[in-house]
Amino acid sequence: MTRVAAIDCGTNSIRLLVADADPATGELTDLERRMTIVRLGQGVDRTGRLAPEALERTFAACREYAEVVKKHGASEHLRFVATSASRDAENRDDFVRGVVDILGVEPEVITGDQEAEFSFTGATKELTGRDDLRRPFLVVDIGGGSTEFVVGDDHVRAARSVDVGCVRMTERHLVRDGAVTDPSTEEQIAAMRADVEAALDRAEEAVPLREARTLVGLAGSVTTVSAIAQDLPEYDPAAIHHSRVSRDRVREITEWLLRSTHAERAKVPSMHPGRVDVIGAGALVLLTIMERTGAREVVVSEHDILDGIAWSVA
């Protein structure tokens, strides 16, 4: 076995996985799995720059994660991958320098296609032997700033990343006078849906979305929808991992999220506080994908790009 550490720094959250990897069995044994909402992408869509306060939140999380990696002796096999927000920002060098100072490794600002490859590996490694799931898989990773689409069987056949995510869609369509509109208006929802539909048109230029037979959904928007669908008393990764949510149930939840207030969403016991304002947009992205592809259900995975990054250094 190899002890590995992987960090995935996205637009909305930063996550850490420390695990023992066994290539012979294809199993990752988790030692630590953490997630912190840092909103690194705060305002990037509007300003083109990473905000100072967003950088400091991210660096604070990095300092915490550095201690965890050191405690488990995983520093020699650590990989830090940075996604959408840091790709887009003019001042990304400030971000890189800060991470190197804290963790001793340079963050790899990967392309959308690389992001998709890692997501597919992480999400499907456990599913390839299942005979109750039809192939090919369509893996959809709904992040804060972008969404990755990957179609494949045992290996990736096609992939595309498009700039629609829960944070980007919220800031672009649901914010008025510096605050999220509660509840969202019909006009806002229609504009957001049109944006997502246009992104799906771009994705379909490269990825045969409708050829997939099993939709696998990743990341916080999808896992939170599953938690709500199951009416969980708290966020429970074991109950969420490989759960299935029907398209009709996703539609019901999406409509409620977009028509609810901040206070109503915050009362959901499985809702992370950092997702309260952006979950409606994330759910709408998922619903629109299901409607476009004809998927009757989504298989929800807690294993995603983070696990793919871990396998890459095993």
Side-chain angles (χ1 to χ4, degrees), residues 29-141:
T29 302
D30 290 9
L31 300 174
E32 297 263 2
R33 194 181 283 262
R34 300 192 180 191
M35 187 273 287
T36 309
I37 300 288
V38 294
R39 293 282 177 88
L40 179 61
Q42 172 192 332
V44 167
D45 196 45
R46 177 176 52 83
T47 68
R49 297 180 62 82
L50 298 168
E53 61 270 28
L55 283 169
E56 184 45 47
R57 289 193 298 267
T58 304
F59 294 154
C62 286
R63 286 187 280 270
E64 174 190 331
Y65 291 177
E67 291 298 317
V68 176
V69 171
K70 182 179 178 181
K71 178 182 76 173
H72 288 289
S75 301
E76 295 300 311
H77 295 275
L78 167 63
R79 190 171 190 178
F80 188 118
V81 167
T83 53
S84 180
S86 53
R87 274 202 307 269
D88 301 339
E90 294 174 3
N91 60 335
R92 58 183 174 270
D93 289 347
D94 296 339
F95 168 69
V96 171
R97 282 194 298 271
V99 172
V100 171
D101 288 346
I102 296 166
L103 285 157
V105 296
E106 186 166 325
E108 299 175 56
V109 183
I110 61 175
T111 67
D113 287 344
Q114 289 174 304
E115 195 172 340
E117 291 270 358
F118 284 139
S119 293
F120 187 82
T121 299
T124 64
K125 203 166 184 71
E126 295 177 321
L127 301 178
T128 51
R130 296 265 300 262
D131 56 11
D132 60 326
L133 297 176
R134 299 174 64 196
R135 301 183 191 184
F137 299 118
L138 168 59
V139 175
V140 174
D141 187 343

Side-chain angles (χ1 to χ4, degrees), residues 131-205:
D131 56 11
D132 60 326
L133 297 176
R134 299 174 64 196
R135 301 183 191 184
F137 299 118
L138 168 59
V139 175
V140 174
D141 187 343
I142 303 173
S146 62
T147 295
E148 283 64 55
F149 298 86
V150 197
V151 165
D153 297 289
D154 293 332
H155 302 285
V156 172
R157 283 170 41 190
R160 172 64 61 89
S161 177
V162 294
D163 286 338
V164 291
C166 60
V167 174
R168 195 184 296 268
M169 290 297 95
T170 299
E171 291 187 347
R172 187 177 293 174
H173 297 290
L174 303 184
V175 173
R176 293 290 182 274
D177 299 322
V180 175
T181 304
D182 278 333
S184 305
T185 67
E186 292 295 335
E187 181 182 18
Q188 288 174 318
I189 295 170
M192 183 163 57
R193 180 183 278 275
D195 215 352
V196 177
E197 292 280 7
L200 288 176
D201 290 341
R202 295 193 295 276
E204 277 198 295
E205 292 172 358

